[in-house]
Amino acid sequence: MLDEQTAMLDAALAAAPHGKKRAGEDYVFLLLFEQRQGAICFAAAAAGAVYGLTLGIVKREALHFVFGVIAVLMTLVNANQTCLPFFGNHPKI
């Protein structure tokens, strides 16, 4: 599976115009880097949820705020696929 992923990334870089090879490499690096950051965010949210289970219901209000912000921002990020102007646009739709 890792070989297939590497082959796809190499094919994407090979398809970049000659003068934009470095930009293509940087783009692929950033895509992979941002995916790792997203995974860390989800792991942190999960750890916070587990920790929240050890707290009394009144002391969980900060966690509710964090999870509410995550929910709103994730909704807005996913809404850019609706092609509504104020949500931005997804370049592959």
Side-chain angles (χ1 to χ4, degrees):
M1 179 123 151
L2 181 59
D3 292 339
E4 292 173 347
Q5 290 174 343
T6 304
M8 286 190 296
L9 292 172
D10 289 342
L13 292 174
H18 179 66
K20 302 215 175 182
K21 294 287 183 188
R22 176 60 194 240
E25 291 170 352
D26 290 345
Y27 184 68
V28 168
F29 172 81
L30 285 173
L31 286 173
L32 297 175
F33 183 72
E34 288 178 4
Q35 289 299 315
R36 290 181 179 152
Q37 286 181 322
I40 288 170
C41 177
F42 283 120
V50 171
Y51 172 69
L53 293 174
T54 67
L55 300 174
I57 201 80
V58 175
K59 294 183 179 181
R60 294 182 193 176
E61 66 183 43
L63 288 174
H64 293 159
F65 173 74
V66 170
F67 294 145
V69 169
I70 290 171
V72 168
L73 293 177
M74 289 295 208
T75 300
L76 293 175
V77 167
N78 286 318
N80 84 350
Q81 297 183 34
T82 63
C83 298
L84 296 174
F86 51 89
F87 284 124
N89 62 357
H90 192 291
K92 294 295 186 184
I93 295 179

